[in-house]
Amino acid sequence: MSSTMTFKCPCCGGYLEFHPSLQKFKCLYCGQVLSEEDLRDQSEQREAEAEEKQEAAYGERSMDNGGLKSYHCQMCGAEIVTTDTTAATRCYYCHSPVVLHDRLDDAFRPDGVIPFQLDKAAAEKQFTEFVKKKTFIDKGFFEGAQLEMFSGVYYPFWYCDVEGEAEFSGEGTRTSVSTTPRHVVTTTRYFRVERKARMSFRNLARKALTKADGKLSDGIHPFDCKDVKPYASGYLSGFLAEMRDVEESEAREEILSEVKDYARKLIKRNHSFNTLNGATSFEAKKTDARYVLLPTWVLTYKGGRDGVPYYYMMNGQTGRVCGKLPINMGKLLTWALGAGLLVFAILCAGGAFIW
Ligand SMILES: [Zn+2]
Ligand SMILES: [Zn+2]
């Protein structure tokens, strides 16, 4: 059996959840609030216990059917069913938050985490405000009950810092035109251009879970890296979390090719030539990658008539939203018609004036 972690209240034995507005552990039963230090201490203890249990069960597990893993809830003993990449979830029966230790172990242990800053109520409010600002949205969207699913998920990302040297070698031209009484003289001067620059890029992000929707997860960036905390499992309690399935080397390679594009643009900036052509090379001297879990509110909205679900992601730190809103065609048509009539009226008025 693989081990799970549940954080328990020292006063009443109930479960503790990470509370975004307090940035601390809170017991949902007796209201006890623990300091962030306690959260880190308890995370360490639970992780060590889980490690021990896992080692003890190692022989047993290798006899398992094809190495299939099962998880059990520490509160009620029920079996916990997860997808391949789930790292934190809730027990389906007793609803207590569970962190799956072996999914965040060894090579898969995150380097850092940005804890949720927006709790569910704040995220809902922010989302409703975002929708209200949009003009042609379905009315049903304003009703909170329509928000079918609204869940807090930590998504895995790779963050990378790159330092390196860029070199440009090419040809620049400067052209001037002068006029004599009989000729127009165009003079083109050619310059050999060599440029060298040391460049450093910080916190370039790449998603670390293949199945995550790239467009949505790119759309909610940036996250402010000043809030990245050293990883502790306690921050995950009460939320869902996904583990990474993208290797560091793969993310590093993608980020490096992005960096080369930036370098190419940057090294040609602020020149005084009319044309500048040549080749740029970039050599990375130092790269540093970090595996970080980022807080995201995920929303599903079942569309009115067609019943098609719409998906949204909200940055759990800043509230930035990404997703496609369902447009109310009736509303849009009325507006277009109104605008059309107005144009027609102006044309008529203009016509009356001219003729
Ligand atoms: Zn308690
Ligand atoms: Zn349970």
Side-chain angles (χ1 to χ4, degrees):
M1 191 175 86
S2 304
S3 40
T4 57
M5 292 184 284
T6 300
F7 299 89
K8 288 179 189 161
C9 171
C11 300
C12 74
Y15 56 75
L16 297 166
E17 285 190 5
F18 178 72
H19 210 275
S21 49
L22 301 169
Q23 292 288 298
K24 286 172 184 165
F25 258 157
K26 190 179 177 183
C27 172
L28 291 194
Y29 298 97
C30 71
Q32 175 80 8
V33 175
L34 277 78
S35 70
E36 199 173 4
E37 210 183 325
D38 285 335
L39 180 152
R40 302 200 74 88
D41 287 349
Q42 220 187 97
S43 300
E44 255 174 52
Q45 278 174 25
R46 291 290 99 83
E47 282 166 40
E49 285 165 17
E51 194 73 35
E52 249 172 56
K53 267 192 218 159
Q54 202 145 295
E55 267 167 31
Y58 187 73
E60 197 183 304
R61 199 175 67 205
S62 57
M63 314 251 303
D64 263 3
N65 232 351
L68 274 183
K69 287 182 188 174
S70 65
Y71 296 93
H72 287 96
C73 172
Q74 285 188 12
M75 291 297 208
C76 74
E79 187 167 358
I80 293 170
V81 180
T82 68
T83 65
D84 290 355
T85 53
T86 304
T89 183
R90 276 181 193 279
C91 168
Y92 185 76
Y93 297 96
C94 71
H95 210 59
S96 58
V98 181
V99 179
L100 309 178
H101 175 255
D102 62 341
R103 299 276 167 93
L104 300 161
D105 199 12
D106 302 327
F108 290 95
R109 187 186 163 86
D111 298 304
V113 53
I114 296 184
F116 271 89
Q117 311 276 321
L118 296 172
D119 60 21
K120 193 167 180 169
E124 249 166 7
K125 190 166 165 255
Q126 197 118 340
F127 185 69
T128 315
E129 269 161 23
F130 160 78
V131 171
K132 267 189 194 154
K133 279 188 211 140
K134 312 284 170 187
T135 319
F136 306 116
I137 302 309
D138 235 325
K139 230 184 154 207
F141 224 99
F142 294 106
E143 292 152 21
Q146 286 282 351
L147 300 170
E148 288 264 317
M149 196 187 86
F150 198 63
S151 41
V153 187
Y154 282 102
Y155 272 102
F157 280 84
W158 282 109
Y159 268 108
C160 204
D161 294 342
V162 181
E163 277 172 33
E165 273 172 20
E167 274 189 52
F168 173 85
S169 174
E171 189 180 72
T173 62
R174 273 190 204 131
T175 308
S176 57
V177 181
S178 58
T179 328
T180 63
R182 294 177 62 190
H183 302 283
V184 175
V185 183
T186 304
T187 315
T188 303
R189 287 183 293 161
Y190 295 85
F191 299 87
R192 183 190 166 97
V193 182
E194 302 282 344
R195 284 183 155 193
K196 249 188 191 186
R198 252 201 300 274
M199 293 181 181
S200 88
F201 301 87
R202 295 262 172 274
N203 298 321
L204 297 161
R206 266 286 172 288
K207 67 171 183 151
L209 178 67
T210 320
K211 71 179 179 194
D213 186 318
K215 249 190 217 157
L216 283 182
S217 54
D218 286 349
I220 57 164
H221 280 271
F223 284 80
D224 190 340
C225 290
K226 76 174 190 334
D227 288 334
V228 175
K229 306 247 167 131
Y231 173 74
S233 44
Y235 292 116
L236 274 50
S237 186
F239 295 94
L240 304 173
E242 294 280 343
M243 66 182 274
R244 69 172 176 84
D245 64 358
V246 173
E247 288 304 318
E248 182 182 332
S249 54
E250 200 182 318
R252 217 182 258 258
E253 216 165 281
E254 278 184 32
I255 287 174
L256 268 179
S257 90
E258 189 183 322
V259 160
K260 281 177 188 161
D261 277 346
Y262 288 143
R264 213 166 287 141
K265 283 175 198 148
L266 281 170
I267 204 157
K268 285 174 78 180
R269 258 199 344 196
N270 301 332
H271 66 79
S272 56
F273 302 101
N274 294 109
T275 64
L276 180 64
N277 292 302
T280 306
S281 65
F282 179 84
E283 196 189 336
K285 298 279 183 199
K286 200 176 147 203
T287 59
D288 173 33
R290 296 173 305 281
Y291 169 29
V292 181
L293 297 179
L294 300 179
T296 312
W297 284 102
V298 180
L299 293 97
T300 312
Y301 169 79
K302 281 255 172 71
R305 260 156 279 148
D306 45 5
V308 181
Y310 290 85
Y311 297 101
Y312 304 90
M313 267 191 169
M314 182 195 284
N315 183 316
Q317 183 191 29
T318 64
R320 187 189 169 102
V321 181
C322 184
K324 214 172 95 192
L325 290 164
I327 289 177
N328 182 324
M329 288 313 281
K331 228 171 165 181
L332 182 64
L333 212 67
T334 317
W335 182 86
L337 221 67
L341 282 175
L342 189 69
V343 171
F344 182 68
I346 290 170
L347 283 177
C348 287
F353 177 75
I354 293 164
W355 299 109

